[in-house]
Amino acid sequence: MYKISIKNYLERHGFEALCPKAVLFDMDGVLYNSMPNHAIAWQESMAQFGIHMTAADAYATEGARGVDTIKKMVLEQQGREIDEAEAQRMYDVKTQIFHSLPEPPVMEGMHALMERLTSDGLTCCVVTGSGQRPLIHRILSDFGAYVDEQHITTAYDVSRGKPAPDPYLMGLRKAGNLRPCEALVMENAPLGVRAGVAARIFTIAVNTGPLPDQTLLDAGADLLFPSVAAFLKDYSALLPSR
């Protein structure tokens, strides 16, 4: 299965080989089991501004810049266009609610996966639609043995968020100006998968939320696993140790 997926990827993009030097991880739903908290924060905050947002909406738009999600929902539900400053004020309320909730746990298997990748000579990077400093600090606290701040791409590094390829293209640059075939993307959300695919990077989906597997496959995922731990278990079959 893996060989076929890799072969299809190489043929689609015209690359000779998949030779990863880095893995670009999404944050929410990949590094952390944080999406349930985000769903709560989105619903409660947007209700304050007369915007109806469901948990399914939160999962479907995960990975996009928060201000872009807000602009889109205000336009759809209230028929008006808002500027970056107003969207940011609304997003700040969402951020406050999110940080008032219990701290989400690290995703099972993630530390072991990063340790394995690092020992095999791959660079671990993070590409997130968030720009919240407390979250960046937590990444460095939890994963400082594997990730440094120079290898973290946030919403403030790009003008277009996921599903545009820009965040992952920036991730490639931060990883050492790598070619797309020299990296892997690990994502849990449709918009993030679409961003990785648009950047021409081999994109692995881990379905850690309530969305159907087919939603992630339809977004273009090259491979799909039910969890981070499942990917770690099959890692050597996909990319044997060096």
Side-chain angles (χ1 to χ4, degrees):
M1 176 181 71
Y2 304 143
K3 289 183 179 179
I4 293 174
S5 297
I6 293 171
K7 180 176 180 289
N8 290 340
Y9 164 80
L10 295 174
E11 290 179 350
R12 187 164 62 250
H13 296 295
F15 296 129
E16 291 184 3
L18 178 65
C19 45
K21 298 178 181 178
V23 178
L24 312 181
F25 292 97
D26 178 41
M27 180 176 66
D28 293 306
V30 176
L31 297 186
Y32 299 105
N33 189 17
S34 50
M35 281 309 298
N37 283 7
H38 279 292
I40 293 169
W42 272 119
Q43 291 175 90
E44 292 186 1
S45 62
M46 291 304 100
Q48 296 183 27
F49 299 97
I51 298 295
H52 176 67
M53 190 169 187
T54 66
D57 290 331
Y59 280 92
T61 58
E62 193 263 305
R65 295 197 316 156
V67 291
D68 292 337
T69 297
I70 290 170
K71 288 179 182 179
K72 181 174 183 291
M73 298 202 78
V74 170
L75 181 61
E76 289 175 350
Q77 296 189 26
Q78 298 182 349
R80 63 190 185 95
E81 294 186 2
I82 61 174
D83 60 20
E84 194 90 358
E86 183 175 353
Q88 185 63 55
R89 286 193 294 272
M90 296 169 69
Y91 185 63
D92 288 344
V93 175
K94 183 262 178 181
T95 298
Q96 291 169 5
I97 295 174
F98 177 80
H99 287 297
S100 72
L101 297 171
E103 191 173 71
V106 171
M107 196 66 73
E108 181 183 356
M110 182 51 68
H111 277 121
L113 175 57
M114 284 196 176
E115 182 176 359
R116 174 70 184 276
L117 293 170
T118 302
S119 69
D120 283 351
L122 280 77
T123 300
C124 293
C125 307
V126 178
V127 177
T128 174
S130 173
Q132 302 171 34
R133 289 306 305 176
L135 295 178
I136 307 308
H137 290 154
R138 188 180 176 200
I139 291 173
L140 297 173
S141 174
D142 290 336
F143 301 104
Y146 315 109
V147 180
D148 60 37
E149 189 159 4
Q150 288 67 43
H151 291 102
I152 299 176
T153 300
T154 76
Y156 299 116
D157 288 312
V158 295
S159 58
R160 298 190 305 167
K162 304 171 186 177
D166 305 35
Y168 282 112
L169 294 175
M170 177 62 72
L172 289 175
R173 288 197 286 274
K174 290 194 174 192
N177 292 316
L178 300 182
R179 299 172 64 210
C181 60
E182 295 178 317
L184 303 175
V185 161
M186 181 166 284
E187 270 283 356
N188 72 302
L191 296 185
V193 169
R194 286 170 56 192
V197 171
R200 302 195 304 152
I201 306 171
F202 191 88
T203 300
I204 298 164
V206 286
N207 195 358
T208 59
L211 297 176
D213 286 351
Q214 194 60 46
T215 301
L216 297 171
L217 294 172
D218 288 346
D222 293 290
L223 284 175
L224 184 141
F225 292 87
S227 66
V228 172
F231 171 72
L232 175 59
K233 181 179 178 182
D234 282 359
Y235 168 79
S236 39
L238 176 63
L239 292 171
S241 297
R242 303 161 180 214

